[in-house]
Amino acid sequence: MNASESKMALMISPEEIQKRVSEMGQEISGKFAGKDPIFIGVLNGSFMFMADLLRAISIDCEMDFIKVRSYVGKKSSGTIRLIKDISAEVTDRHVVLVEDIIDSGHTIRFLMERIGSAAPKSISIATFLIKHEVAKIDFTIDFIGFEIPPEFVVGYGLDFNQKLRHLNGVYRLEGDLVK
Ligand code: IMP
Ligand code: MG
């Protein structure tokens, strides 16, 4: 399947994304000025958001990536596997986890526990998207780009079976495309 074969409808335009992500960058910069935060991007989905968000950050900061896997096709497997750990030292640091999307909340809970066990000074979450109707979380999501309905979306880093991450906008994937 590729972009032209699939049935997709634009949900969030590239212009809306750029505007919102730069607002988030300003907000985060304001909150972490003088705190030298470390941004941890969750691979692969957050790569595009991470790149745009970090370019909108105007304060001293560091960055790293972590890689986990929970999804096969359109469904969360429920079990989160750590594929690549961070290499940075986060003890006593202000950590900002950067996610593409919070769906069930399993992944972000796993990451909070994982990073939390290294005793950081604080952990915040910046997510590009959230499906509030689905997410079962008992902690605060500090920075949210867009709240979306419980539909499967692709583009701007988000994939369907590893495809369609490169798209500039966010698209709703229509119909049952799982083979
Ligand atoms: P959660 O563990 O259910 O919250 O899912 C988090 C991860 O599942 C995200 O980091 C995404 O990689 C993936 N995911 C959840 N919903 C979608 C979607 O609509 N499109 C693409 N990936 C998704
Ligand atoms: Mg992801």
Side-chain angles (χ1 to χ4, degrees):
M1 184 186 71
N2 61 42
S4 56
E5 289 167 43
S6 44
K7 280 211 282 175
M8 300 190 301
L10 184 67
M11 183 184 275
I12 312 169
S13 72
E15 294 73 27
E16 290 173 277
I17 293 172
Q18 290 309 318
K19 182 170 173 283
R20 181 70 193 119
V21 173
S22 68
E23 283 169 6
M24 291 177 84
Q26 285 169 30
E27 192 189 346
I28 293 170
S29 299
K31 292 235 164 97
F32 289 96
K35 293 183 171 172
D36 191 21
I38 177 158
F39 293 89
I40 299 181
V42 185
L43 292 171
N44 292 332
S46 78
F47 83 98
M48 208 177 273
F49 176 46
M50 184 81 166
D52 285 342
L53 183 67
L54 272 274
R55 280 180 285 190
I57 297 291
S58 54
I59 56 166
D60 246 10
C61 65
E62 290 175 33
M63 56 165 287
D64 199 356
F65 285 102
I66 194 166
K67 183 165 181 167
V68 292
R69 181 166 300 143
S70 70
Y71 260 65
V72 182
K74 277 174 149 184
K75 287 216 171 66
S76 172
S77 67
T79 326
I80 317 297
R81 279 203 301 139
L82 185 70
I83 310 288
K84 177 217 167 285
D85 206 351
I86 48 168
S87 27
E89 184 60 66
V90 296
T91 304
D92 238 17
R93 300 288 308 271
H94 293 282
V95 173
V96 183
L97 279 169
V98 180
E99 256 286 26
D100 54 352
I101 186 165
I102 296 175
D103 185 6
S104 68
H106 289 134
T107 306
I108 201 68
R109 171 171 292 108
F110 173 89
L111 291 167
M112 289 284 281
E113 283 166 12
R114 175 92 202 173
I115 303 292
S117 68
K121 203 169 268 171
S122 70
I123 312 184
S124 309
I125 300 164
T127 190
F128 173 56
L129 301 176
I130 189 165
K131 296 179 191 170
H132 257 315
E133 283 178 41
V134 188
K136 288 181 186 64
I137 30 186
D138 43 16
F139 44 86
T140 311
I141 309 299
D142 308 84
F143 309 99
I144 296 173
F146 299 91
E147 194 180 323
I148 62 164
E151 294 174 288
F152 199 83
V153 292
V154 294
Y156 199 69
L158 292 135
D159 71 304
F160 173 60
N161 285 347
Q162 301 307 323
K163 297 273 175 17
L164 306 169
R165 292 192 196 275
H166 62 286
L167 305 174
N168 254 336
V170 171
Y171 296 80
R172 176 185 294 121
L173 207 55
E174 293 178 332
D176 186 13
L177 293 165
V178 184
K179 292 190 182 117

